[in-house]
Amino acid sequence: NAGVMQNPRHLVRRRGQEARLRCSPMKGHSHVYWYRQLPEEGLKFMVYLQKENIIDESGMPKERFSAEFPKEGPSILRIQQVVRGDSAAYFCASSERAPTGTDTQYFGPGTRLTVL
Amino acid sequence: GQNIDQPTEMTATEGAIVQINCTYQTSGFNGLFWYQQHAGEAPTFLSYNVLDGLEEKGRFSSFLSRSKGYSYLLLKELQMKDSASYLCAVSIYGQNFVFGPGTRLSVLP
């Protein structure tokens, strides 16, 4: 049973470009979470999605950031017009059940975004 | 608001026991998780507490007191490979995980 997969593992963008980060949850998991981690800091929740629905985007910046989890295919975190402050590690996690239950979140290896 | 505190750094010796504390003040509580994260890698699940008391899993144990908003992770027979960051996270009902800042543990020979 493959774990959570993320790609690319490393992404370099210039200021103003777009970044697309992909996440495939573990088999059988329909709940996906995106987190951002700045160097030497903890994980900050961004968004929680179920298939085709955004459930909670309270941690997502209001502008330039969007996320989706289509019926088919991976979840995508999209950052438009990237700025240097967007440089961070972006982790995706998945769970089998909703966070209202006592379900563990399993993390992918992360995408390290560097904005030049 | 949600607040989770952990010590920033700890150092211990190989073979020793170390206790990493976590205190939390959150608007809800549906369980407390501990994750281990090696530098440059993904967090990996270690333990989970929802009821008060001690949960033991090999060299790792985790304790929870809900009335005090307090948990600790106990690592026994420390090994060099235990050098990592340890993240405390609270699952909040109807919402998500809120992570603490993490404790960076260095195990010295």
Side-chain angles (χ1 to χ4, degrees):
Chain A
N1 187 14
V4 179
M5 310 210 17
Q6 288 187 251
N7 69 80
R9 295 290 305 274
H10 299 273
L11 182 62
V12 179
R13 285 287 178 265
R14 295 191 179 280
R15 279 180 296 170
Q17 291 184 319
E18 177 180 288
R20 267 182 196 244
L21 288 61
R22 294 175 188 76
C23 169
S24 296
M26 283 179 73
K27 189 175 180 181
H29 288 193
S30 59
H31 303 268
V32 165
Y33 315 82
W34 285 94
Y35 293 86
R36 176 162 62 177
Q37 187 174 38
L38 294 169
E40 310 299 320
E41 293 189 12
L43 290 161
K44 300 294 184 194
F45 166 74
M46 298 181 74
V47 63
Y48 158 44
L49 309 103
Q50 271 185 279
K51 281 288 186 182
E52 301 185 272
N53 290 303
I54 296 175
I55 308 300
D56 180 355
E57 54 182 351
S58 57
M60 194 95 104
K62 293 287 184 279
E63 297 176 352
R64 303 188 298 109
F65 285 72
S66 62
E68 62 177 13
F69 189 16
K71 189 176 179 181
E72 301 292 337
S75 175
I76 307 277
L77 178 68
R78 184 178 174 212
I79 312 172
Q80 295 178 290
Q81 300 174 325
V82 295
V83 300
R84 289 223 173 100
D86 297 333
S87 295
Y90 291 83
F91 288 97
C92 166
S94 73
S95 66
E96 187 177 0
R97 292 181 292 272
T100 51
T102 56
D103 209 15
T104 302
Q105 293 184 14
Y106 295 92
F107 283 81
T111 294
R112 275 142 190 89
L113 172 66
T114 302
V115 180
L116 302 177
Chain B
Q2 324 290 3
N3 190 48
I4 300 180
D5 281 321
Q6 301 178 237
T8 305
E9 291 189 29
M10 297 184 72
T11 303
T13 307
E14 196 174 12
I17 299 173
V18 70
Q19 178 175 311
I20 302 174
N21 296 326
C22 170
T23 57
Y24 63 90
Q25 295 167 303
T26 56
S27 57
F29 181 84
N30 203 44
L32 189 140
F33 294 75
W34 284 95
Y35 285 82
Q36 179 191 60
Q37 186 179 26
H38 284 99
E41 297 183 12
T44 54
F45 169 74
L46 287 179
S47 70
Y48 163 71
N49 295 70
V50 66
L51 299 176
D52 290 352
L54 190 68
E55 293 283 341
E56 297 190 76
K57 226 185 209 185
R59 294 191 300 115
F60 296 80
S61 304
S62 56
F63 171 83
L64 175 67
S65 168
R66 288 172 295 171
S67 61
K68 294 181 181 176
Y70 168 68
S71 172
Y72 67 72
L73 179 70
L74 194 70
L75 293 79
K76 303 175 190 173
E77 300 169 15
L78 279 174
Q79 302 175 9
M80 300 297 289
K81 68 178 182 180
D82 297 329
S83 293
S85 288
Y86 291 85
L87 312 178
C88 170
V90 172
S91 172
I92 298 174
Y93 186 87
Q95 297 180 37
N96 259 296
F97 280 26
V98 178
F99 279 85
T103 298
R104 191 171 1 179
L105 174 66
S106 299
V107 180
L108 305 177

